[in-house]
Amino acid sequence: MTDIHITNARVVRAGSVQQGEIVISDGTIDAAGSASSVPTPTDPETVIDADGMVALPGAIDVHTHMHDDDLFPDGIDFASQTASAVAGGVTTVIELPTQTPVTTPEAVRKKAKTCSALAHVDFGLVAGNIQDPSIDVTGIIDAGTPDFKTFTADPYLASDASIARLMRRAGDAGGTVRVHCETQGLLDDARSTIDGDEPNAYMDSRPLEAELDAISRAGYFAEYADCPLHVVHISSGSGAREGGRFKSRANVPVTLETCPQYLAFSKADVAEKGPFLKVNPSLKSDAERGRLWEAVRDGTIDLIGTDHFPTYRETRKAGWEDIWEPYAGLPGVETMVEFLASEGVHEGRISWPRLHELVCAAPARKAGMYPRKGSLRVGTDADVMLIRAGEYEVSAADHTFVGGWTPYEGQRWSARVDTVIAGGEIVAEDHEVLSRAGRGQFLDRPL
Ligand SMILES: [Zn+2]
């Protein structure tokens, strides 16, 4: 029996947008294509008339910080944060460590178990934050993740030799390494020249050159170590260009990620938003923001993740008094798709197929889950989002996110996530979450 029949949608796939239909049964895609190519199901349980709406595979966010027993306060956990994901059309997340290390096979298994009980969406894990490369690389891969995270900056700074050795060992075992790229020495020196504690002081403490130097060196390290490299959260167009050099010349795959916040905001916005734009790497100039959109459009940037980091509004507000006080990081999983559809597609910066690549297909490939995730192919997981057009004002009050704020508050957007389907179930409608904690599955990512 057919569970869901979506009609009259503009179905987005790699390279095309086509008026058509999607048929879902038993949690998988039964058919997707033009109305004439899709046999009309006889007895669908639910029919969704998607007239005027765009249909895409559910988005995959390859960079979230959603669960940390030691760091996050009550109410912020994998349940509330994956609920926020599903409200925004994100049906799979790849979760990274924050403060609590995930550097042993036991820690991977423990986090997978904890998060499985809480997950609204399917998820994978990343091991990190690795400072000592003498870890059980193959044991961690066997426990479910070949994806290792390390840093060139505090608070999880790894030495050059440690990064090189980690890359060598991960590369030999068939794994990949993702690197936070800002050179600590340049951050230290910049900080030493700054006296104030106002929000702009923070921006000035993390210079562009720290990112450029670290991306360049991570590229050479990956070539040396023969290890696939993923550069997370690139904050500048120049950073994307720096990483792009290695994509064409490196002997190993190099993938480049940016986040919506670096496309939406620049240093110029900090006077108004203050601590609500405190993020690492910090925001750069408006010119760099423009160059970054160009890199997103032309394919230099491979994919978009959010670096979602949840805090409560009250905690973050303290940063108006002392910007060094609150933890850096922005909530973003619920707004990623709507931002990119509104400010990217509707504003003419990218096409629907490019959005499909940036938040569906490329993240699924990066996570080793394509085409099961990130496509609408027959037989794959029925994760689908429908997006409708219509102007509205962004307000945290309309969001599922429990922190009570969004950096996009007050912006006027033109695309909204209407209906979200995951595993063949309707899990959200207009940011109202209908799924349940524990519905999502841990996606073991063996080699
Ligand atoms: Zn992160």
Side-chain angles (χ1 to χ4, degrees), residues 278-353:
K278 182 178 178 182
V279 63
N280 292 341
S282 61
L283 300 171
K284 303 301 187 295
S285 69
D286 212 44
E288 286 295 343
R289 187 176 76 97
R291 287 180 202 121
L292 189 58
W293 267 117
E294 184 54 31
V296 163
R297 197 189 64 72
D298 73 14
T300 306
I301 290 287
D302 295 281
L303 58 87
I304 294 179
T306 63
D307 199 11
H308 177 86
F309 181 89
T311 49
Y312 287 113
R313 181 180 177 74
E314 286 306 306
T315 318
R316 187 52 70 96
K317 237 171 66 181
W320 281 115
E321 301 298 317
D322 179 359
I323 194 61
W324 308 102
E325 182 56 31
Y327 230 95
L330 307 177
V333 75
E334 191 164 347
T335 44
M336 172 175 74
V337 170
E338 289 173 346
F339 167 75
L340 291 169
S342 298
E343 296 298 307
V345 180
H346 285 174
E347 292 300 317
R349 294 181 171 109
I350 54 173
S351 65
W352 284 114

Side-chain angles (χ1 to χ4, degrees), residues 63-65 96-97 149 151 180 232-233 257 280 306-308:
H63 190 160
T64 68
H65 301 271
L96 277 71
K149 168 85 182 289
F151 285 69
H180 174 122
V232 295
H233 56 46
E257 167 196 302
N280 292 341
T306 63
D307 199 11
H308 177 86

